Amino acid sequence: MTMHPAHPSHPAHPAAQGIRTTPEGLAWEPSERWVRGVKGEVTVVDSRHPVLVWEPGVPVPLYAFPREEVRTDLLRPAKNPPTGAHTGSSVFYDLDVDGTVVENAAWTFPAQDLAGHIAFAWFRHWHSGLDHWYEEEQEIFVHPRDPHKRVDAVPSSRHVQVEVGGMLVADTRKPVLVFETSLPTRYYIPREDVRLDLFVPTDHSTSCPYKGAAQYWTWRGEGDVPRNILWSYPAPLPQVADVQGMLAFYNEAVDITVDGERLPRPVTPFTEALKKS
């Protein structure tokens, strides 16, 4: 099919419409970002009128795109559509690019507000049908960035100490504090101020659309200490460049003292995940 050029009268164009909700429990708002999705060498999505959608109980958004900005000629009715997925969606598509078929790569939401839009999977726990996603000229990983979420990396002179099982493993007055909406402050510590000899690197890795790809270490010592409690971003994204090569601990699993005050261990979605690690 032929992609249509941007059209200012498109109903999803005005960026200031704000977040709306649907009877199905979806929240959505238009975005003015130029978003592209690529499978192999083929551009499957090329949209200047994407819509951000938050599903009930899912803390991060995904994109839905006007049908005319999607290569619908590459979509086929799904052979094995899932049930109970994506807020009651019943229309799913398999993606076929040059003979490579990805099942249930896209779907439509039942909400009337989003009629004429097609969504694609991004999340790590969903099998994404596309290989790369771009906002403008920047590649985006894991999920679309939430315009209502802020991540700030701020160099500090606070005195930060970290203990694991009662042992002091980090002590610095040159931390970088990362303030991220809805998460506890993370304290990034220069490597020379961390007893890295007490930890062993693992093959665990994660990706974050705001910070980049992280590598992890596990505690060598004894005690009931979760795995992968220490991490670093060797090549962080530009907005958090100050944390490059520094090390951070999960506040949920260690004891952190800042300027002489012991911080309580926060309870977050990572608390349970660490118990299962």
Side-chain angles (χ1 to χ4, degrees):
M1 64 172 283
T2 301
M3 297 290 185
H4 296 289
H7 194 290
S9 65
H10 193 284
H13 180 72
Q17 294 181 30
I19 295 180
R20 302 175 179 184
T21 58
T22 75
E24 297 80 9
L26 296 165
W28 67 276
E29 69 175 7
S31 171
E32 289 193 328
R33 300 190 184 203
W34 175 27
V35 180
R36 302 183 307 290
V38 178
K39 178 70 173 177
E41 300 297 322
V42 177
T43 298
V44 178
V45 176
D46 189 338
S47 178
R48 287 171 170 80
H49 310 100
V51 175
L52 282 164
V53 181
W54 290 261
E55 293 195 67
V58 181
V60 296
L62 53 79
Y63 276 123
F65 307 98
R67 182 176 290 271
E68 62 268 24
E69 296 180 345
V70 174
R71 284 283 305 274
T72 54
D73 59 305
L74 303 176
L75 300 180
R76 312 280 184 265
K79 290 185 177 180
N80 301 294
T83 58
H86 302 302
T87 320
S89 296
S90 60
V91 178
F92 287 82
Y93 300 99
D94 295 340
L95 175 68
D96 185 344
V97 177
D98 296 331
T100 299
V101 177
V102 181
E103 291 191 351
N104 301 308
W107 65 93
T108 62
F109 286 110
Q112 183 62 35
D113 288 359
L114 298 173
H117 288 72
I118 297 176
F120 285 78
W122 280 43
F123 300 175
R124 182 181 294 274
H125 57 277
W126 298 338
H127 179 63
S128 177
L130 303 189
D131 298 329
H132 302 281
W133 286 99
Y134 300 90
E135 290 180 349
E136 303 299 333
E137 296 302 322
Q138 186 175 72
E139 186 169 8
I140 304 300
F141 304 93
V142 187
H143 62 79
R145 290 179 290 199
D146 190 329
H148 305 285
K149 185 180 180 76
R150 187 178 180 96
V151 180
D152 294 311
V154 184
S156 175
S157 60
R158 296 197 197 198
H159 185 196
V160 177
Q161 297 172 297
V162 181
E163 295 179 26
V164 177
M167 179 179 293
L168 183 67
V169 299
D171 190 336
T172 190
R173 294 181 183 273
K174 298 178 294 182
V176 171
L177 277 54
V178 172
F179 302 95
E180 186 168 352
T181 305
S182 302
L183 286 176
T185 303
R186 301 301 189 189
Y187 299 89
Y188 284 75
I189 300 171
R191 288 190 178 222
E192 62 268 23
D193 293 336
V194 177
R195 287 286 308 276
L196 198 53
D197 59 301
L198 300 175
F199 298 85
V200 59
T202 72
D203 59 3
H204 182 63
S205 64
T206 59
S207 295
C208 171
Y210 308 99
K211 297 186 289 292
Q215 56 186 192
Y216 286 78
W217 289 259
T218 283
W219 173 242
R220 285 181 181 270
E222 299 179 353
D224 186 19
V225 179
R227 290 180 53 79
N228 301 309
I229 61 169
L230 177 64
W231 75 86
S232 178
Y233 289 96
L237 295 176
Q239 56 265 40
V240 291
D242 284 332
V243 305
Q244 183 172 8
M246 301 183 83
L247 298 158
F249 294 82
Y250 276 111
N251 311 39
E252 297 87 341
V254 302
D255 294 311
I256 298 178
T257 300
V258 178
D259 292 337
E261 179 182 354
R262 175 68 62 87
L263 304 181
R265 292 190 183 184
V267 177
T268 74
F270 294 105
T271 303
E272 289 301 316
L274 285 166
K275 290 179 181 178
K276 299 174 183 178
S277 65

